[in-house]
Amino acid sequence: MSSSESQPPQPPPPSDSAATISKKAAKKEAAKLEKLRRKQESALAATTATLSVDDDDPLAASYGDIPLVELQSKTAVDVNTWTRVEALDRSLENRTVLIRGRVQTIRPVAKKMAFLVVRENGYTVQCLLQTQPDLVSLQMVKFAAALSRESIVDIEGIVSVPDTLIKAATQQQVEIQVRKLYCVSRAVPTLPINIEDAARSEVEIEKALQEGEKLVRVNQDTRLNFRVLDLRTPANQGIFRIQSQVGNVFRQFLLSEGFIEIHTPKLIAGTSEGGAAVFRLNYKGQPACLAQSPQLHKQMSICGDLSRVFEIGPVFRAEDSNTHRHLCEFTGLDVEMEIKKHYFEVMDIVDKLFVSIFDSLNQNCKKELEAVRKQHPFEPLKYLRQTLRLTYEEGVQMLKDAGIEIEPFGDLNTEAERKLGQLVSEKYGTEFYILYRYPLAVRPFYTMPCYDNPKEYSNSFDVFIRGEEIISGAQRVHKPDLLEQRAEALGIDVKTISTYIDSFRYGAPLHGGFGVGLERVVMLFCGLNNIRKTSLYPRDPVRIVP
Amino acid sequence: MSSSESQPPQPPPPSDSAATISKKAAKKEAAKLEKLRRKQESALAATTATLSVDDDDPLAASYGDIPLVELQSKTAVDVNTWTRVEALDRSLENRTVLIRGRVQTIRPVAKKMAFLVVRENGYTVQCLLQTQPDLVSLQMVKFAAALSRESIVDIEGIVSVPDTLIKAATQQQVEIQVRKLYCVSRAVPTLPINIEDAARSEVEIEKALQEGEKLVRVNQDTRLNFRVLDLRTPANQGIFRIQSQVGNVFRQFLLSEGFIEIHTPKLIAGTSEGGAAVFRLNYKGQPACLAQSPQLHKQMSICGDLSRVFEIGPVFRAEDSNTHRHLCEFTGLDVEMEIKKHYFEVMDIVDKLFVSIFDSLNQNCKKELEAVRKQHPFEPLKYLRQTLRLTYEEGVQMLKDAGIEIEPFGDLNTEAERKLGQLVSEKYGTEFYILYRYPLAVRPFYTMPCYDNPKEYSNSFDVFIRGEEIISGAQRVHKPDLLEQRAEALGIDVKTISTYIDSFRYGAPLHGGFGVGLERVVMLFCGLNNIRKTSLYPRDPVRIVP
């Protein structure tokens, strides 16, 4: 779909030959014409949106809007009747095919011709209507020219192979000579955002600006307001396929390691893990809240001898964090497991799991990553076959050596995390690493203190990608008396978590686990600048629609 | 763990030989002794719970409680140091092994001997302590005898092969001669429910009752109150492994058919799909609610060209339904897909998907199904290679022929569903079938009306397992004007769903989908009588803990 953006509504050739004018001039011209084309198209749409088939046309049966009754599952058909746009190639030359897709661009040429670029699943093909006796009427071309962009059409036509490559479509070697054209579903004539605007990269916009042209920039809020249009860009199609793949590898890896998938309740009595950041609600007359994580219930599942569990599900945080990396609802990837002796057993799983995820994305999502990269340029993530592990103390020392003083028993702030990420990347050549043995004071009450310094350190770790924290994990306290003591020390009312603490009274296994945010994994792997880009319908302090 | 239930605390042999007394008498005796054993054990526990290792014992290093400091990840070890109980067999004879598991039963014999049955992941092994100079002291036996059931222990010992099969454990060919015994994690001396009570089948209880014995029956509420203990029964270990497998096959099948997994928000502005059954909450000052299904957002994702999507996530219903098959929070398996012409394309996916799930459970979860069946007897589900499809009218006619009159444009009630299931099973030999072409009046506003009778019928279907509805699906209305009209006709305030309806204005694909409840699939496949058995921590109108 990319090269179609600057396609001017000028006469043939139907397949573009190499441009001969200077790039800069061409760009300028293109932008002008683009503006013009939009005006024309919108005017055209306004006058012809209600255009119906001309009954006097002997070819009237070859085009038109499919009536509702035909779309109400009137006849079952073999879905293989349609050829996928992706599958169109030279082997189909002179064959008649039926395709279904969206009209991405419409380029009328005088009154006798029209070019449609039709898109299906990110692949596009150029379709040509040219008046011909007994085949294509003037009215049919008019119908095509008056289609609104993003409408869905069925096109039957003959595959032809033009002399030169078609630049306006991803299928460059073939085009379709249209014989029949039916509109399945119409889009409104004026779209709130145009897909090619939404698909434009910042780089392109900046470059054009330097050359004196102002291309449309669709801001994040507008995108999210019209998410169903925004989702149709190649980058977004890539992002959500990558997200699906992360979930898939996460599960498959853990299942292969003997984990089972669980589903814990999101409706919790009382106030979950405590704190202000909970959404409260009334549960049949009882005070309740939404789970801030599956922490308590995944640990209880370990006490119930499920041994190794994971969960993929929503996590709710009522925090007022208007940052690039916080959401009020996100998808948590949670793991909890029995350990034999040491929480490094948990870190070993983290290590292998994430290397598997990264490897799989690089191998199986090449096309999707490329689509993201085209709009949002990024360098591939640097990671090692065996993940680097540093103690918190070593991290603090590295920062100190670089002139940054950190409170040794406090937490790293965002800036320090980023700096440390940079130092680690320079020294060890990885942008993915584990920092362990965190200060006890900055970890939740259920974190096991260190054996050799239980007042100051804990058996816990964070994991970083590109200098941002992505995973938190730890060995958990499995002794109910110590758990109570730790909760009290952190000011938690033990009565509110009594069912949780009681779970440890019937013989609790040694265990540990970790939690990850799915949206953050995708955001940081792809080097994106905002978590709203990797959440399908993000929820933040000011957004709860669509 | 099964045969240990009626194991009396009588003298050796260490490996049981076949019983010679009559079964009835044995049962009676066993029940009596069981009662006695519990009393003894509890008394013993009370007196010795605080027992610590006797420092005067030269073998003091061979047993005792592992101190906390050792459990705080002091040393990392190779987890393969432990042999899994499942892996214990005759090939290990005379070898020294280390195992970790729960003490399921403790049977002291005079003061010189004790038998422990140790359980790990559903497998059990009998461990024998017998005083021997320089190896096992009297104090060590005393320590073992005083352990509380469900405590977790590390046992080092020598694998021996007894002359006769051991009935008290799943590992019948070997036992362990204990040399070292360390308690990793203690359970309280008196458990609120005993695992063998919780694992007992109704059949067993009824049979005993007829023979004049009253065995302990643990009721559903008690089980749920102490879910971490209840989860340790073989049936529950099976149920939640089966549940994990259903989710896994659901995903893998759909991924292989080109679907992607999405995550839609559970926090929704306004009132979701409307109606009284929503949980309302305050979202940063705005009225909001919890999604009753991902319906609107999965359809929007289709409008966003994700083409074929599925979601596995929580679904919230504030209904006051205190039935065996309703929960206030359950796990929804949702699917939505573009269709070319007919909603049968959706039914084709349902058909193949569920046959895959059933096949996989039967093939890959044999052990788990057997564990469930042992406590909750059920017949394997009867289903066809190609799923039976009947119209709603045909269903109504079958009921009519059987003397049951149904309102032709109403819905089937639970009783009628069950009866129809029975009739279908008798006539077609299947307990899994699709009923389609439902009356329009009983379907949600977004359901596409039938092409040939749009006032009375709809392009929708329900799917049944063992006479209970499990899946609802349909073609959706993709035209915004018709969608508005249908919403208004059903009394829905169109303004409250405007972002949803607007999604269809930009060229909406023909599409359809369906939704399933994960807990119901597992419940009905296993012929269980209550959905609370297949929800890890169920939420119903009166339960929000643990």
Side-chain angles (χ1 to χ4, degrees):
Chain A
M1 103 188 268
S2 54
S3 57
S4 68
E5 282 167 24
S6 53
Q7 202 60 47
Q10 60 190 18
S15 333
D16 296 333
S17 55
T20 48
I21 40 174
S22 87
K23 268 192 182 174
K24 193 172 167 180
K27 277 245 160 173
K28 222 169 193 168
E29 186 64 6
K32 264 192 213 160
L33 288 166
E34 165 75 349
K35 211 170 173 181
L36 183 65
R37 181 181 58 68
R38 280 205 210 133
K39 263 194 194 158
Q40 284 179 336
E41 203 173 292
S42 128
L44 202 60
T47 54
T48 58
T50 56
L51 175 89
S52 59
V53 174
D54 185 346
D55 289 337
D56 294 339
D57 183 1
L59 292 172
S62 294
Y63 61 100
D65 283 285
I66 301 180
L68 178 61
V69 67
E70 290 290 334
L71 301 174
Q72 287 178 301
S73 294
K74 190 173 175 183
T75 41
V77 291
D78 180 0
V79 296
N80 296 317
T81 310
W82 282 261
T83 302
R84 293 165 58 219
V85 170
E86 181 181 2
L88 294 171
D89 63 22
R90 298 175 69 121
S91 73
L92 296 169
E93 191 174 2
N94 296 326
R95 293 266 288 278
T96 298
V97 295
L98 174 64
I99 62 167
R100 179 174 293 177
R102 289 190 187 277
V103 179
Q104 179 166 293
T105 57
I106 302 152
R107 182 155 60 96
V109 180
K111 285 188 171 181
K112 292 190 165 178
M113 256 175 118
F115 293 97
L116 305 180
V117 173
V118 173
R119 180 183 82 237
E120 184 194 31
N121 289 136
Y123 292 88
T124 52
V125 63
Q126 178 165 277
C127 303
L128 166 64
L129 287 100
Q130 197 157 16
T131 53
Q132 283 185 54
D134 302 332
L135 286 176
V136 176
S137 63
L138 263 173
Q139 293 97 318
M140 184 171 170
V141 174
K142 196 174 164 195
F143 176 85
L147 283 168
S148 46
R149 291 204 278 177
E150 294 297 308
S151 292
I152 297 170
V153 292
D154 271 351
I155 286 181
E156 193 181 290
I158 294 157
V159 177
S160 68
V161 177
D163 296 337
T164 50
L165 291 184
I166 295 168
K167 293 205 171 150
T170 65
Q171 302 311 79
Q172 305 198 318
Q173 303 201 326
V174 294
E175 61 183 358
I176 294 179
Q177 308 289 332
V178 181
R179 292 291 173 265
K180 288 177 182 167
L181 170 65
Y182 305 105
C183 186
V184 175
S185 185
R186 278 194 181 260
V188 289
T190 311
L191 298 173
I193 51 179
N194 286 314
I195 307 301
E196 66 266 43
D197 293 338
R200 200 169 281 136
S201 74
E202 278 298 309
V203 177
E204 204 179 331
I205 293 170
E206 288 302 323
K207 210 174 144 197
L209 208 60
Q210 283 167 18
E211 291 165 6
E213 300 159 50
K214 206 174 166 190
L215 297 176
V216 174
R217 172 189 278 132
V218 186
N219 75 35
Q220 188 68 53
D221 258 355
T222 309
R223 288 174 189 279
L224 295 178
N225 290 338
F226 302 102
R227 192 59 156 163
V228 298
L229 282 163
D230 185 43
L231 284 177
R232 297 179 194 167
T233 63
N236 280 337
Q237 293 281 317
I239 284 170
F240 293 100
R241 285 177 167 79
I242 290 166
Q243 193 193 69
S244 175
Q245 179 68 359
V246 171
N248 183 31
V249 182
F250 180 81
R251 268 193 209 93
Q252 290 310 309
F253 176 85
L254 291 171
L255 287 171
S256 77
E257 293 279 339
F259 286 77
I260 69 166
E261 181 171 21
I262 60 170
H263 303 279
T264 66
K266 305 310 156 201
L267 289 167
I268 307 286
T271 55
S272 187
E273 293 164 55
V278 297
F279 287 106
R280 289 163 206 279
L281 74 158
N282 179 314
Y283 186 89
K284 307 273 167 195
Q286 294 180 60
C289 69
L290 296 178
Q292 290 172 285
S293 85
Q295 185 63 36
L296 309 188
H297 286 92
K298 70 178 181 173
Q299 283 190 260
M300 286 161 67
S301 303
I302 296 300
C303 293
D305 279 359
L306 296 182
S307 302
R308 301 187 135 199
V309 298
F310 70 89
E311 177 164 13
I312 300 186
V315 162
F316 304 93
R317 306 275 166 94
E319 282 166 295
D320 271 321
S321 300
N322 278 299
T323 76
H324 78 285
R325 64 184 202 145
H326 287 92
L327 290 170
C328 290
E329 178 179 348
F330 63 88
T331 305
L333 309 177
D334 268 273
V335 170
E336 201 71 21
M337 58 187 272
E338 290 181 5
I339 61 180
K340 288 293 188 196
K341 279 291 253 187
H342 205 285
Y343 73 109
F344 279 14
E345 295 165 34
V346 180
M347 281 162 53
D348 290 344
I349 292 286
V350 170
D351 183 346
K352 285 194 284 178
L353 169 60
F354 277 82
V355 170
S356 293
I357 290 174
F358 301 152
D359 283 352
S360 170
L361 292 180
N362 285 332
Q363 281 161 30
N364 305 315
C365 294
K366 285 200 175 76
K367 188 188 146 228
E368 289 78 8
L369 289 168
E370 196 41 51
V372 178
R373 189 174 281 126
K374 197 159 178 185
Q375 181 166 5
H376 311 289
F378 69 93
E379 291 298 314
L381 183 75
K382 287 192 289 179
Y383 61 100
L384 306 174
R385 298 318 303 166
Q386 183 141 23
T387 304
L388 175 71
R389 299 174 186 195
L390 298 172
T391 63
Y392 187 82
E393 271 182 294
E394 288 170 315
V396 168
Q397 188 60 47
M398 280 177 76
L399 284 166
K400 198 175 176 183
D401 293 346
I404 297 156
E405 281 293 341
I406 297 292
E407 162 62 54
F409 300 114
D411 209 347
L412 300 179
N413 60 27
T414 308
E415 200 189 341
E417 285 179 356
R418 217 178 274 272
K419 182 66 187 169
L420 184 56
Q422 191 191 318
L423 296 171
V424 167
S425 174
E426 285 162 9
K427 184 167 178 187
Y428 298 100
T430 180
E431 293 167 313
F432 177 71
Y433 72 98
I434 302 174
L435 202 62
Y436 67 98
R437 205 180 147 90
Y438 260 69
L440 183 66
V442 301
R443 311 299 287 202
F445 73 94
Y446 45 74
T447 310
M448 183 65 96
C450 256
Y451 78 96
D452 61 345
N453 190 349
K455 297 277 175 239
E456 292 178 326
Y457 285 110
S458 66
N459 291 343
S460 66
F461 59 90
D462 275 4
V463 185
F464 297 84
I465 300 186
R466 299 190 201 264
E468 294 197 35
E469 183 258 308
I470 193 162
I471 301 171
S472 259
Q475 179 181 1
R476 322 297 187 182
V477 176
H478 65 280
K479 290 203 175 273
D481 46 352
L482 180 56
L483 198 54
E484 273 183 339
Q485 186 190 313
R486 289 293 307 147
E488 274 163 9
L490 294 187
I492 292 166
D493 181 359
V494 175
K495 282 193 301 292
T496 62
I497 50 167
S498 63
T499 53
Y500 165 70
I501 291 179
D502 285 345
S503 306
F504 297 87
R505 302 194 193 281
Y506 315 122
L510 299 196
H511 66 292
F514 59 93
V516 194
L518 174 59
E519 294 82 356
R520 279 199 193 170
V521 175
V522 178
M523 171 177 82
L524 293 173
F525 186 81
C526 295
L528 294 167
N529 61 3
N530 195 322
I531 199 155
R532 289 160 189 80
K533 288 194 167 73
T534 58
S535 171
L536 204 45
Y537 306 100
R539 298 295 184 243
D540 66 27
V542 295
R543 174 175 292 281
I544 191 178
V545 285
Chain B
M1 101 187 271
S2 52
S3 58
S4 68
E5 283 167 22
S6 52
Q7 203 60 46
Q10 60 191 15
S15 332
D16 295 332
S17 54
T20 48
I21 41 175
S22 87
K23 267 191 183 176
K24 194 172 167 179
K27 277 245 156 173
K28 220 168 192 166
E29 187 64 4
K32 264 191 214 160
L33 287 167
E34 166 75 348
K35 211 168 172 182
L36 182 66
R37 180 182 57 70
R38 282 207 207 131
K39 262 195 195 157
Q40 285 178 337
E41 202 175 294
S42 128
L44 201 60
T47 54
T48 58
T50 54
L51 176 89
S52 59
V53 173
D54 184 347
D55 289 338
D56 293 340
D57 183 1
L59 290 172
S62 294
Y63 60 100
D65 283 284
I66 301 180
L68 179 62
V69 67
E70 289 290 335
L71 301 173
Q72 288 177 300
S73 294
K74 190 173 175 184
T75 41
V77 290
D78 179 0
V79 295
N80 296 318
T81 309
W82 281 261
T83 302
R84 294 166 56 221
V85 170
E86 182 182 2
L88 294 170
D89 62 23
R90 299 175 68 119
S91 74
L92 296 170
E93 191 173 3
N94 296 325
R95 293 265 289 279
T96 298
V97 295
L98 174 64
I99 62 167
R100 177 174 294 176
R102 290 189 186 276
V103 179
Q104 179 166 295
T105 58
I106 302 153
R107 183 154 61 96
V109 180
K111 285 188 172 181
K112 292 189 166 179
M113 254 174 120
F115 294 96
L116 305 180
V117 173
V118 173
R119 180 183 83 237
E120 183 194 32
N121 290 137
Y123 293 88
T124 52
V125 65
Q126 179 165 277
C127 302
L128 167 63
L129 287 100
Q130 198 158 16
T131 52
Q132 277 182 268
D134 301 332
L135 286 176
V136 175
S137 63
L138 263 173
Q139 293 97 319
M140 183 170 169
V141 174
K142 195 174 166 196
F143 175 85
L147 283 168
S148 46
R149 291 205 279 176
E150 296 297 308
S151 291
I152 298 170
V153 292
D154 271 351
I155 287 182
E156 193 180 291
I158 294 158
V159 178
S160 68
V161 178
D163 296 336
T164 51
L165 291 184
I166 296 168
K167 293 208 174 151
T170 65
Q171 302 310 77
Q172 305 198 318
Q173 304 203 326
V174 293
E175 61 183 359
I176 295 179
Q177 308 290 332
V178 180
R179 291 292 172 265
K180 288 177 182 169
L181 170 65
Y182 305 107
C183 186
V184 176
S185 184
R186 277 194 181 260
V188 290
T190 311
L191 298 173
I193 50 180
N194 285 314
I195 307 300
E196 65 266 44
D197 293 337
R200 199 169 283 137
S201 74
E202 277 299 309
V203 176
E204 204 179 331
I205 294 170
E206 289 301 324
K207 209 174 145 197
L209 209 59
Q210 283 165 18
E211 292 165 5
E213 300 159 50
K214 207 173 165 192
L215 298 177
V216 173
R217 172 187 279 132
V218 186
N219 76 35
Q220 189 67 54
D221 257 356
T222 309
R223 287 175 190 277
L224 296 179
N225 289 339
F226 302 101
R227 190 60 156 164
V228 299
L229 281 163
D230 184 42
L231 283 176
R232 296 178 194 168
T233 64
N236 280 336
Q237 292 282 315
I239 284 170
F240 293 99
R241 284 177 168 77
I242 290 166
Q243 193 193 71
S244 176
Q245 180 68 0
V246 171
N248 183 30
V249 182
F250 179 82
R251 267 192 210 93
Q252 289 312 306
F253 176 84
L254 291 171
L255 288 171
S256 76
E257 293 279 339
F259 285 77
I260 68 167
E261 181 170 22
I262 59 170
H263 303 280
T264 65
K266 306 308 157 204
L267 290 167
I268 307 287
T271 55
S272 188
E273 294 164 54
V278 297
F279 287 105
R280 289 161 206 283
L281 73 157
N282 179 315
Y283 186 89
K284 306 276 168 192
Q286 293 180 62
C289 70
L290 296 179
Q292 290 174 285
S293 86
Q295 185 63 35
L296 309 189
H297 286 91
K298 70 178 180 172
Q299 285 190 258
M300 288 160 66
S301 303
I302 296 300
C303 293
D305 279 359
L306 296 182
S307 302
R308 301 185 135 199
V309 299
F310 69 89
E311 176 163 14
I312 300 185
V315 161
F316 305 92
R317 306 274 166 95
E319 282 166 294
D320 270 322
S321 300
N322 277 300
T323 76
H324 76 285
R325 63 184 202 144
H326 287 92
L327 291 171
C328 289
E329 179 178 350
F330 63 88
T331 305
L333 309 177
D334 268 274
V335 169
E336 201 70 22
M337 58 186 273
E338 289 181 6
I339 61 180
K340 288 293 186 196
K341 279 291 253 187
H342 205 286
Y343 73 109
F344 279 14
E345 294 165 35
V346 181
M347 281 161 54
D348 291 344
I349 292 286
V350 170
D351 183 348
K352 285 195 285 179
L353 169 60
F354 277 82
V355 170
S356 293
I357 290 174
F358 301 152
D359 283 353
S360 170
L361 292 181
N362 285 331
Q363 280 160 31
N364 304 316
C365 293
K366 285 199 176 76
K367 187 187 146 228
E368 289 79 8
L369 289 168
E370 197 42 51
V372 178
R373 189 174 282 126
K374 198 161 177 182
Q375 180 166 4
H376 312 288
F378 69 92
E379 291 297 314
L381 183 74
K382 288 192 289 178
Y383 61 100
L384 307 173
R385 298 317 303 163
Q386 182 142 22
T387 304
L388 175 70
R389 298 175 186 194
L390 298 172
T391 63
Y392 187 83
E393 272 182 294
E394 289 171 314
V396 169
Q397 188 60 49
M398 281 177 76
L399 285 166
K400 199 175 175 181
D401 294 347
I404 297 156
E405 281 295 340
I406 296 292
E407 162 62 53
F409 300 113
D411 209 347
L412 300 179
N413 61 26
T414 308
E415 200 189 340
E417 284 178 358
R418 216 178 273 270
K419 181 67 187 171
L420 184 56
Q422 191 191 319
L423 296 171
V424 167
S425 174
E426 285 162 10
K427 183 168 177 187
Y428 298 99
T430 180
E431 293 168 312
F432 177 69
Y433 72 100
I434 302 175
L435 202 62
Y436 69 97
R437 203 180 149 90
Y438 260 70
L440 183 66
V442 301
R443 310 299 287 202
F445 74 94
Y446 46 74
T447 310
M448 183 66 95
C450 257
Y451 78 97
D452 61 344
N453 189 350
K455 297 278 174 239
E456 291 178 328
Y457 285 110
S458 66
N459 291 342
S460 65
F461 60 90
D462 274 5
V463 185
F464 297 85
I465 300 186
R466 300 190 200 263
E468 293 198 36
E469 183 257 309
I470 193 162
I471 301 171
S472 259
Q475 180 181 0
R476 321 299 186 182
V477 176
H478 66 279
K479 290 204 175 272
D481 46 352
L482 180 57
L483 198 55
E484 272 183 340
Q485 185 190 315
R486 290 292 307 147
E488 274 164 8
L490 294 188
I492 292 166
D493 182 358
V494 175
K495 284 194 298 293
T496 62
I497 51 167
S498 62
T499 53
Y500 166 68
I501 291 179
D502 285 345
S503 306
F504 296 87
R505 302 194 193 281
Y506 316 122
L510 299 195
H511 65 292
F514 59 92
V516 194
L518 174 60
E519 293 83 357
R520 279 200 192 170
V521 175
V522 178
M523 172 178 80
L524 293 173
F525 186 82
C526 295
L528 294 167
N529 61 2
N530 197 321
I531 199 155
R532 288 161 189 79
K533 288 194 167 73
T534 58
S535 172
L536 203 45
Y537 305 100
R539 297 296 184 243
D540 65 28
V542 295
R543 174 175 291 281
I544 191 178
V545 286

